[in-house]
Amino acid sequence: MQAIEVRHISKKYGEVTALSDVSFAVEHGEVFGLIGPDGSGKTTMFRILCSLLLPDAGEATVDGFSTKSQMRDVRCRVGYMPGRFSLYEDLTVRENLEFFASLFGTTVSAGYDNIRAIYSQIERFENRRAGALSGGMKQKLALSCALVHSPSVLFLDEPTTGVDPVSRKELWDMLGTLREKGITIVAATPYLDEVRRCDRVAFLDKGVLRGIGTPEKILHDYADIFCPPGIEHDDNDEKGTENVIEVEHLVKAFGSFHAVDDISFSVRRGEIFGFLGANGAGKSTAMHMLTGLNQPTSGTGRVAGYDIRTEHEQIKRRIGYMSQRFSLYGDLTVAENLRLFGGIYGMSTDDIRRKTEESLRRLDFYDHRNDLVGSLPLGWKQKLAFTVSIFHNPAIVFLDEPTGGVDPATRRQFWQLIYDAAERGTTVFVTTHYMDEAEYCDRISIMVDGKIRAIGTPDELKQKFDKPDMDSVFTYLARQSTRTDS
């Protein structure tokens, strides 16, 4: 008997086909990957296998139990980490763990041996609210909550989205330990290094199973989707020497803790500037000061010529900002979102009409202009959110992990939009956890423990630290962190 058997599963949402006649099997103790573009049906499959959703047709079993008729037996045997963290942010670390243990009629002490290796890394913060944890710590807590009842099968729906490369490697090392204990693991991920750590992968596309096999075979057979060619970006150095961001000795302290600890740098007009660092390194705090959302403790900064201390309202009118959590309105259409934000930015009616038309055609969204944003795939939402952030032709656009959780082909399309904006003179200030995207930047800074530890072009940094790629540079610097409470 196999750990998971999926036989001719189909599922529709109205006129949309999420899954169409999908069949596959997973062996006991296997690390099995579900991969595919946004909207391919991966999350629907996870929910069916966890007995949270009934298929329209077909059958599925987990540990021999039917996901239709034996739901209670299935739920006792599976652990599930959904795409968005399942934690309760107002509860503490310990309270979250105790709550999830109680759902399965067990206790933390009874399941402690099963989570010891993971939970022991965050146990000293057990009285901290989950909402105050860094991405890596949330990830470890969510995994502990999914394992506290000793499941035999673990389902992970993109568990490392928004998590830095070092923390991602740590999680997959933990999964290797769980596999040694005999736990079957099914994971979805957009990261190719994580895909390669699976024994086998199934490639879903528009609800159809396109292929199944070793990672090497699937990535080779469908290289146009998973390994698209790099983007050609001619840096003709016509940006000039004008600085649109200037920061000197900037500090942001919360009590005795310095989230940002004396950083200095500048960014030129039209430059694509990568602002990198592990979770908790201080990137978002620094970005909040530059965008006028937070005041510095000390130091100076100017953005688009305005002082970040005294002229933050002027700054807000001259920048665009795309946060990790989308600011789009899901119950409005694509066109309505564009018109709404155009009005918020103070654009004229004629300009809004013209820019809306241009933007819809540039994105190939014209036929979807009346679709509700909430119904769009993640990658489409992100491209639209970026377009909204530059709708008013800002001098600078700040992008906080704009491509988290998006497949490689869609990320490539997104970066083409970034290059187009930069060529029109917009400065792009971007944070990312994808190190291949770091290679696309004109220059990069890397923060560690609130300080900038390195700054330069990708080639300069690789040469300076004698590393073959930016992933190796980032990992080398991030592992020098001495903070224990980030």
Side-chain angles (χ1 to χ4, degrees):
M1 181 181 67
Q2 291 164 317
I4 299 169
E5 291 187 63
V6 175
R7 297 182 293 272
H8 307 292
I9 288 288
S10 294
K11 181 66 180 179
K12 294 182 72 173
Y13 301 103
E15 297 300 315
V16 177
T17 299
L19 294 169
S20 178
D21 196 26
V22 175
S23 299
F24 63 86
V26 181
E27 302 290 337
H28 284 285
E30 189 173 19
V31 178
F32 189 86
L34 271 183
I35 61 175
D38 302 308
S40 61
K42 302 186 298 294
T43 296
T44 296
M45 180 59 72
F46 275 117
R47 290 174 178 169
I48 288 173
L49 292 176
C50 291
S51 77
L52 302 176
L53 189 66
L54 289 173
D56 297 331
E59 298 284 341
T61 61
V62 176
D63 267 0
F65 295 95
S66 169
T67 60
K68 284 183 178 180
S69 60
Q70 296 171 298
M71 293 182 180
R72 182 179 295 274
D73 294 293
V74 169
R75 292 173 186 175
C76 289
R77 286 163 173 78
V78 305
Y80 179 42
M81 279 181 65
R84 296 180 181 271
F85 285 122
S86 55
L87 304 174
Y88 292 89
E89 298 205 341
D90 290 334
L91 298 183
T92 66
V93 168
R94 182 73 181 192
E95 288 169 342
N96 267 278
L97 194 59
E98 288 174 344
F99 172 75
F100 280 93
S102 69
L103 290 179
F104 294 98
T106 187
T107 63
V108 174
S109 58
Y112 190 81
D113 285 345
N114 199 51
I115 63 172
R116 183 192 304 274
I118 302 165
Y119 186 63
S120 61
Q121 300 179 40
I122 59 173
E123 192 168 11
R124 63 186 180 277
F125 307 113
E126 64 178 12
N127 294 319
R128 181 179 295 184
R129 287 191 305 109
L133 300 176
S134 69
M137 289 172 67
K138 284 182 178 177
Q139 175 195 64
K140 292 170 186 174
L141 175 57
L143 185 57
S144 296
C145 290
L147 291 168
V148 70
H149 62 294
S150 303
S152 57
V153 181
L154 181 62
F155 293 102
L156 308 172
D157 191 358
E158 300 190 358
T160 55
T161 295
V163 178
D164 67 79
V166 173
S167 295
R168 290 198 295 107
K169 292 182 176 73
E170 289 177 351
L171 179 125
W172 276 84
D173 289 341
M174 294 175 196
L175 296 183
T177 301
L178 295 175
R179 179 191 179 184
E180 292 173 2
K181 294 181 177 181
I183 296 176
T184 302
I185 299 168
V186 181
T189 176
Y191 296 98
L192 298 188
D193 59 321
E194 296 180 359
V195 171
R196 293 187 175 97
R197 295 187 70 162
C198 298
D199 298 311
R200 290 186 304 141
V201 295
F203 168 38
L204 286 171
D205 183 26
K206 297 178 180 177
V208 176
L209 183 64
R210 301 292 186 188
I212 188 167
T214 64
E216 291 75 15
K217 174 175 172 52
I218 297 301
L219 294 179
H220 176 268
D221 291 351
Y222 299 97
D224 57 327
I225 294 173
F226 295 105
C227 307
I231 303 173
E232 295 296 327
H233 176 47
D234 295 327
D235 185 4
N236 56 17
D237 205 34
E238 291 183 356
K239 302 178 184 65
T241 58
E242 176 192 358
N243 289 331
V244 293
I245 300 176
E246 295 177 319
V247 171
E248 293 185 6
H249 305 295
L250 200 63
V251 173
K252 181 61 179 180
F254 299 94
S256 61
F257 177 71
H258 284 200
V260 175
D261 192 5
D262 193 14
I263 63 172
S264 300
F265 65 93
S266 61
V267 181
R268 292 181 297 162
R269 179 182 60 81
E271 188 173 23
I272 301 174
F273 187 80
F275 200 57
L276 309 186
N279 295 112
K283 305 186 304 300
S284 292
T285 301
M287 187 178 287
H288 289 166
M289 288 188 283
L290 295 178
T291 54
L293 299 176
N294 212 333
Q295 288 291 296
T297 302
S298 62
T300 61
R302 299 188 74 81
V303 173
Y306 294 94
D307 191 306
I308 62 173
R309 283 181 173 276
T310 61
E311 298 174 303
H312 36 84
E313 290 305 319
Q314 291 93 323
I315 290 173
K316 290 176 185 177
R317 288 196 290 270
R318 288 164 175 81
I319 65 171
Y321 180 60
M322 180 178 165
S323 66
Q324 296 175 29
R325 298 185 177 182
F326 299 116
S327 55
L328 300 175
Y329 290 88
D331 54 353
L332 297 181
T333 67
V334 170
E336 287 170 343
N337 266 276
L338 289 169
R339 290 196 293 266
L340 172 66
F341 282 95
I344 291 173
Y345 294 137
M347 298 170 62
S348 70
T349 301
D350 287 343
D351 282 345
I352 291 173
R353 185 182 302 111
R354 176 181 56 81
K355 288 281 290 186
T356 297
E357 185 83 6
E358 290 176 359
S359 299
L360 290 171
R361 295 195 182 281
R362 185 185 303 123
L363 293 173
D364 290 329
F365 278 12
Y366 197 80
D367 291 340
H368 300 277
R369 60 190 180 279
N370 295 320
D371 291 359
L372 292 178
V373 165
S375 69
L376 300 178
L378 175 61
W380 290 28
K381 289 180 182 177
Q382 285 175 300
K383 288 188 285 187
L384 179 61
F386 175 68
T387 299
V388 164
S389 71
I390 62 170
F391 197 65
H392 57 307
N393 294 323
I396 308 161
V397 62
F398 290 87
L399 308 176
D400 196 357
E401 297 178 27
T403 56
V406 176
D407 63 86
T410 303
R411 289 198 294 114
R412 186 184 188 279
Q413 295 170 10
F414 189 96
W415 271 86
Q416 189 60 62
L417 294 177
I418 289 178
Y419 281 166
D420 292 345
E423 289 173 3
R424 294 194 298 269
T426 299
T427 300
V428 180
F429 189 98
V430 57
T431 72
T432 180
H433 286 318
Y434 290 96
M435 291 302 103
D436 60 321
E437 293 184 354
E439 303 274 3
Y440 296 157
C441 298
D442 297 317
R443 283 191 306 140
I444 297 162
S445 74
I446 299 178
M447 288 189 73
V448 180
D449 293 350
K451 297 180 180 291
I452 292 179
R453 292 295 175 87
I455 191 166
T457 68
D459 286 341
E460 287 171 350
L461 296 184
K462 286 182 285 188
Q463 182 176 0
K464 177 178 179 179
F465 295 102
D466 192 24
K467 300 296 181 184
D469 50 43
M470 283 307 304
D471 182 75
S472 300
V473 172
F474 182 94
T475 300
Y476 170 74
L477 291 173
R479 285 186 169 158
Q480 296 180 19
S481 171
T482 58
R483 282 184 178 172
T484 58
D485 56 349
S486 61

